[in-house]
Amino acid sequence: MDDTTAAAQLFERLLRDPAVPELASLRGQAEVHVRSLAVNGSRVDVVAVTADQEWRVVLGTVDMFAAEWVHVFTRPPRFDGVKGGRALVVNGPSSSGKSTLLGALQDRAAEPWVIFDEPMFGGVRGEYLIWPDRVPLLHTGFLNGIAALARTDNLVALAAGGHDSETIRRAFAGLPTLWVGLDCPAEELRRREATRIDVAGGLFAASPHIHDGWEYDLRFDTTEVPLDDMVRQVLEHIH
């Protein structure tokens, strides 16, 4: 049996197996047809279709009898933009939940939000991110580029990343922008920071005045307001 035939049979078994929750959306369809299937070593790519929907299924297998992992992508509806664009700016101390809120927004919104967990794009040596005062024009350019993306009728959301509100407001002038502030008690910030390996220690202590000069449309204490409620309120205000 060649790899393509074995992979097709593996996909059919997985499709019938309720122990593979990733395929639940396909399993509930009346008829699923495989439009294409490709094998590249231990990776299998499947395009599956029904009468009115299309999926891309990517899975890993070492023996063509079981899947090590499965990822499923549903073809989204066409998005033609929002006139004038929209921007969301989230500010708060390190470990207050900015990345968590932005990720949840991206996952749960019906529209495609472009997320900038740090207000930058492309790649640059880490020193210029640690000490942004050494390259102020670079960081101004980052903000202007993000704003330009929003101005072409797109949806963008970013964490302030240490930039003051006036700098961001200048870059986003004329854009419909929702400003969100996050709070979190110091002891909880310290606890969260102790469990993270992606940030330098002591950042929360270095930002006691993180909200100085900011005005917000929404403000949340992330120890009191559930994440779903924050996302819901953000989307209600954006819409």
Side-chain angles (χ1 to χ4, degrees), residues 179-196:
W179 304 85
V180 176
L182 299 185
D183 297 294
C184 186
E187 285 306 311
E188 176 62 13
L189 290 175
R190 184 178 290 108
R191 186 195 67 78
R192 293 179 183 180
E193 186 178 273
T195 66
R196 297 179 62 181

Side-chain angles (χ1 to χ4, degrees), residues 95-107:
S95 299
S96 61
K98 300 184 295 297
S99 300
T100 300
L101 175 58
L102 292 174
L105 172 71
Q106 187 177 58
D107 289 342

Side-chain angles (χ1 to χ4, degrees), residues 13-24:
R13 288 198 302 274
L14 295 175
L15 198 57
R16 297 191 299 268
D17 188 351
V20 185
E22 294 87 352
L23 292 173

Side-chain angles (χ1 to χ4, degrees), residues 113-130:
W113 281 85
V114 184
I115 302 298
F116 295 89
D117 198 10
E118 295 292 339
M120 60 168 290
F121 48 87
V124 65
R125 275 172 31 203
E127 295 91 334
Y128 297 114
L129 302 178
I130 297 172

Side-chain angles (χ1 to χ4, degrees), residues 100-162:
T100 300
L101 175 58
L102 292 174
L105 172 71
Q106 187 177 58
D107 289 342
R108 301 173 195 184
E111 308 87 357
W113 281 85
V114 184
I115 302 298
F116 295 89
D117 198 10
E118 295 292 339
M120 60 168 290
F121 48 87
V124 65
R125 275 172 31 203
E127 295 91 334
Y128 297 114
L129 302 178
I130 297 172
W131 291 283
D133 61 302
R134 300 295 85 192
V135 281
L137 293 180
L138 176 64
H139 289 268
T140 299
F142 284 155
L143 291 172
N144 288 339
I146 294 169
L149 177 62
R151 290 191 178 100
T152 54
D153 297 344
N154 287 296
L155 306 170
V156 304
L158 68 148

